[in-house]
Amino acid sequence: MQKESMKEKLEEYCKETIADSRYSDNSKCNWAFGAIDFACNAGLISSREYEALLEEFQLLE
């Protein structure tokens, strides 16, 4: 069985966070962006994965 990559884990986290109706849209986007940004700065994902995740979740300005 193949181990889930950090990018896949972040995608799952972001999808769950954005789908959570308990929080405002702004809070959900901030949490998703923060998780992706932290993972990139900690060296857990590449800059290409960072950009792809931001684009996937429409977090680019």
Side-chain angles (χ1 to χ4, degrees):
M1 184 173 175
Q2 188 177 11
K3 195 173 183 180
E4 193 175 26
S5 73
M6 182 55 68
K7 182 179 182 279
E8 292 169 330
K9 289 179 184 181
L10 279 168
E11 285 175 323
E12 185 177 323
Y13 170 80
C14 290
K15 286 176 185 175
E16 289 175 6
T17 299
I18 290 170
D20 195 328
S21 63
R22 296 177 294 171
Y23 307 106
S24 70
D25 288 342
N26 190 45
S27 290
K28 293 185 240 186
C29 289
N30 286 339
W31 276 102
F33 175 81
I36 296 167
D37 192 57
F38 174 83
C40 184
N41 284 307
L44 301 172
I45 60 171
S46 69
S47 59
R48 285 185 179 185
E49 291 172 313
Y50 172 80
E51 290 177 16
L53 286 166
L54 291 181
E55 187 173 319
E56 179 179 344
F57 293 102
Q58 302 174 350
L59 300 172
L60 294 172
E61 288 189 10

